[in-house]
Amino acid sequence: MFRSGQTVQSRPRTPWMGKGTAHRASLGFILMSTDLACEADLFAMAPEGVGVHITRLRTDDYTTNETLARHIDHMADAAGRLQPDMKPAVIAYCCTSGSIVCREENVFREIHKGAPYTRPMSIVTGVMDALREVGAKRIVVGTPYLDDINTAEAEYLLAAGFDILDIQGLQLETGVEFGQVEPDYWKEFALEIDRPDADAIFLSCSGTRTLEVVEEIEQAAGKPVITSNQALMWSCLRRAGIADQLNGFGQLFNHPGRALTPTL
């Protein structure tokens, strides 16, 4: 029995040490402070043995091109906080519109500055990897964004070689609103904007609950559906050498990752 004033003296032991829960790979993700969906999606998609490590950027809960551009200022610091002793195989910035406004090359540079041992990634890089992997060139795009952001996204995807048959936004202003849109509405919205000549439907934004209905939309539309979080996790896993085929998250996870673009 321990009594006040005594000194604790533990007996010598040899613990059984393993490789931990992330024995296959560790992945780091930089999320917005306002994001209500991405963290749950990432953990839902993580295969056994893959560690998911999260940090968040302080974010204005008013989403414009101007507020998104400020994310880059704290990217290096955020990357350096993501389990530096474990050295994640990939560290990704998890904001689709922010990846476009800040630009991938700048995101890669700042992540590399904070975590030079990792492969830097952005969510829009994963989206384009995924679209190319499923053979999609002609796409329709659904977003929660204001049209200034939609215009920037359309221009970015056009410059990357995709044909934008239509892009429609919900004209929501805040990240909290993005996360409050019901999954069934995203299904209805996706099928509304779909066109027979579209190769795929892309639902943009990490903060929306689109992953929950991706397979329902695919079954109804008869074509691939790419969501930001699904594409991000798929691309990060493939870059980390994890080729698992996951069920419940769309046909993308049946693909090995031959179309991955290089980062730094």
Side-chain angles (χ1 to χ4, degrees):
M1 178 182 298
F2 180 82
R3 293 180 174 83
S4 179
Q6 287 183 314
T7 300
V8 173
Q9 290 186 322
S10 297
R11 294 186 297 276
R13 292 176 172 83
T14 303
W16 301 339
M17 306 296 286
K19 296 182 179 180
T21 57
H23 58 270
R24 298 175 69 197
S26 291
L27 305 176
F29 299 96
I30 302 168
L31 275 60
M32 306 304 96
S33 60
T34 55
D35 192 312
L36 299 183
C38 189
E39 186 166 353
D41 284 354
L42 295 172
F43 280 105
M45 290 183 285
E48 185 277 330
V50 175
V52 171
H53 308 291
I54 303 288
T55 193
R56 288 183 179 255
L57 289 176
R58 182 176 295 278
T59 311
D60 296 302
D61 197 24
Y62 182 67
T63 306
T64 67
N65 288 332
E66 290 72 28
T67 60
L68 291 167
R70 298 176 195 147
H71 293 180
I72 200 71
D73 297 338
H74 306 288
M75 195 76 61
D77 178 68
R81 294 174 184 271
L82 276 162
Q83 295 288 356
D85 296 320
M86 295 296 293
K87 295 183 171 52
V90 180
I91 291 179
Y93 167 51
C94 305
C95 179
T96 317
S97 51
S99 300
I100 289 166
V101 171
C102 295
R103 302 197 64 84
E104 295 165 273
E105 61 271 22
N106 296 328
V107 171
F108 298 161
R109 183 193 68 239
E110 292 302 306
I111 291 176
H112 184 73
K113 187 185 298 181
Y117 41 77
T118 194
R119 297 179 184 88
M121 264 288 289
S122 82
I123 200 167
V124 78
T125 312
V127 165
M128 294 190 291
D129 286 343
L131 289 168
R132 293 181 180 115
E133 184 79 10
V134 301
K137 179 175 173 58
R138 297 163 61 83
I139 61 174
V140 293
V141 184
T143 88
Y145 311 136
L146 300 171
D147 278 337
D148 284 350
I149 298 173
N150 292 323
T151 301
E153 180 154 338
E155 293 285 358
Y156 202 90
L157 293 172
L158 277 174
F162 298 98
D163 296 331
I164 312 303
L165 303 183
D166 195 11
I167 181 168
Q168 293 289 309
L170 300 183
Q171 301 303 297
L172 302 178
E173 296 181 343
T174 73
V176 170
E177 289 177 318
F178 296 175
Q180 291 175 330
V181 178
E182 292 288 336
D184 285 345
Y185 184 84
W186 284 109
K187 177 181 176 181
E188 181 178 304
F189 181 41
L191 295 174
E192 173 200 324
I193 65 174
D194 187 27
R195 290 177 38 158
D197 52 343
D199 300 323
I201 301 168
F202 168 41
L203 297 176
S204 179
C205 187
S206 68
T208 59
R209 295 175 62 191
T210 52
L211 182 71
E212 297 172 50
V213 289
V214 64
E215 291 208 330
E216 293 179 30
I217 303 170
E218 287 188 338
Q219 290 165 9
K223 64 185 63 174
V225 175
I226 302 302
T227 80
S228 289
N229 294 343
Q230 166 222 43
L232 173 69
M233 181 56 110
W234 171 83
S235 186
C236 287
L237 286 170
R238 298 304 185 254
R239 290 173 190 277
I242 307 297
D244 295 22
Q245 295 186 12
L246 306 181
N247 296 320
F249 307 115
Q251 59 183 272
L252 174 63
F253 277 98
N254 295 325
H255 289 263
R258 296 189 182 93
L260 297 184
T261 56
T263 60
L264 288 179

